[in-house]
Amino acid sequence: MKLYKIFFLFALALITSCSSDDDSTPVNELDGIIKVKEFTNDTHIIELYTSTGTTQQGYNEISLRIKDKTTNNYIQNATIEWMPMMHMTMMNHSCPYSTVEKETDKETLYKGYIVFQMPQNESEYWDLKIDYSINETNYTVTDVIDVPATEKRVVSSFMGTDNVRYIVALIDPKNPKVALNDMTVGVYKMENMMNFPVVNNYTLKIDPRMPSMGNHGSPNNLDLTQSASDEFYHGKVSLTMTGYWKINLQLLNASNEVLKGEVVTETTESSSIFFEIEF
């Protein structure tokens, strides 16, 4: 009987050890995200993930990991940069995007965001170049990335009265409710065709309206101001019933001068810049 128990415990330990060795990805590493696509070069497979398994016009939070083709192991010590590029008929340009950082409490995942301010079409497309370094060896890969148009307006590009082009992108609420919702927006300016830095110390005024219900508004909204912790603009949007909402916007600079957007009145039913939410 003792010999049987010893043999059983040895077999159980062997099975557990083999299972651990075969699984190079930690448990729960991919919880809440779905693979979008894979980029490949001679040495690696780069996997892209989002919460929906898609990318689209507007703000996209993207996770990625790098798989070694020879060992099938995922790289834990890479330094990564990326460059999204829109290829148009007469010119190319980039868009707002963040740095790529290792995800907290993850072993193989890296994360950043990209704001695609315009969608692809039949003749114009986006691609994404990823440059990365592993143990002081440099690699690169570039591939086309799918960026269809969104059904509702979640990003707006416009020229301000200061002759600067701005981009505002809705980040939250992703799942709006009949409630006072946290609202988050990214605000950027175009320095040139390749650089779109964050705009600091501005204000984004909001005025939610329901056009199909007499263009009524809602109470207790809080205009958006910038947070030092993440550089995004945060506020509160009050949605008092389900349906289609137009979130009218006004962008003000640090001197409280209106750069774009109009106050909604009986004769001015909508601002020239806005987001759309329907739920």
Side-chain angles (χ1 to χ4, degrees):
M1 181 64 68
K2 290 183 179 180
L3 182 62
Y4 171 78
K5 289 182 177 179
I6 292 171
F7 176 77
F8 175 78
L9 292 173
F10 174 77
L12 181 62
L14 183 62
I15 292 171
T16 303
S17 175
C18 289
S19 298
S20 177
D21 290 343
D22 289 343
D23 185 7
S24 60
T25 303
V27 176
N28 299 326
E29 190 86 347
L30 301 180
D31 271 5
I33 56 176
I34 303 169
K35 187 186 293 184
V36 176
K37 71 173 300 177
E38 295 180 348
F39 290 13
T40 62
N41 56 22
D42 292 338
T43 51
H44 299 102
I45 299 171
I46 293 86
E47 302 171 348
L48 267 60
Y49 295 84
T50 67
S51 61
T52 61
T54 62
T55 47
Q56 62 179 4
Q57 180 186 11
Y59 175 88
N60 296 261
E61 188 173 89
I62 301 174
S63 298
L64 61 86
R65 60 181 184 168
I66 304 170
K67 184 177 183 179
D68 188 298
K69 283 185 172 181
T70 302
T71 65
N72 285 329
N73 291 327
Y74 288 95
I75 305 301
Q76 299 184 23
N77 61 342
T79 301
I80 304 172
E81 296 181 349
W82 56 13
M83 172 63 77
M85 189 71 67
M86 173 52 127
H87 297 267
M88 304 184 71
T89 305
M90 300 298 294
M91 63 178 179
N92 299 333
H93 65 78
S94 188
C95 61
Y97 62 91
S98 72
T99 58
V100 182
E101 304 288 348
K102 188 73 173 289
E103 287 201 42
T104 304
D105 300 327
K106 302 290 185 180
E107 293 188 15
T108 66
L109 281 177
Y110 305 78
K111 181 187 286 185
Y113 70 80
I114 300 174
V115 178
F116 299 108
Q117 70 266 45
M118 59 188 299
Q120 66 198 26
N121 57 43
E122 293 182 358
S123 59
E124 300 171 333
Y125 66 94
W126 288 92
D127 67 23
L128 181 61
K129 182 183 181 187
I130 301 174
D131 296 315
Y132 58 102
S133 175
I134 302 170
N135 297 327
E136 299 185 352
T137 301
N138 297 325
Y139 305 90
T140 189
V141 62
T142 304
D143 204 347
V144 173
I145 190 164
D146 193 36
V147 184
T150 53
E151 293 184 3
K152 298 291 184 290
R153 182 179 292 192
V154 294
V155 62
S156 186
S157 176
F158 54 87
M159 189 70 71
T161 57
D162 55 357
N163 293 319
V164 174
R165 179 161 291 278
Y166 292 94
I167 296 169
V168 293
L170 180 63
I171 300 172
D172 281 315
K174 296 181 181 67
N175 300 299
K177 300 177 181 179
V178 177
L180 189 62
N181 296 261
D182 291 330
M183 186 172 180
T184 306
V185 173
V187 183
Y188 312 89
K189 66 179 179 180
M190 186 178 77
E191 284 187 343
N192 53 52
M193 300 298 281
M194 299 300 152
N195 295 298
F196 297 77
V198 170
V199 171
N200 295 314
N201 301 319
Y202 280 25
T203 300
L204 194 65
K205 289 190 172 184
I206 61 171
D207 186 355
R209 300 280 177 153
M210 292 198 82
S212 64
M213 302 291 291
N215 214 36
H216 74 71
S218 61
N220 303 319
N221 296 285
L222 181 63
D223 293 333
L224 282 68
T225 56
Q226 190 180 32
S227 168
S229 61
D230 61 10
E231 297 188 324
F232 293 137
Y233 285 70
H234 298 270
K236 300 282 187 179
V237 58
S238 176
L239 305 174
T240 55
M241 59 189 299
T242 58
Y244 170 78
W245 288 85
K246 180 178 283 189
I247 314 300
N248 297 283
L249 308 172
Q250 283 184 291
L251 183 65
L252 283 65
N253 64 16
S255 300
N256 286 323
E257 300 167 329
V258 177
L259 300 177
K260 186 71 173 180
E262 296 76 35
V263 175
V264 177
T265 66
E266 290 185 2
T267 56
T268 304
E269 295 184 354
S270 173
S271 174
S272 55
I273 53 172
F274 58 88
F275 297 132
E276 295 175 302
I277 293 176
E278 188 169 14
F279 67 107

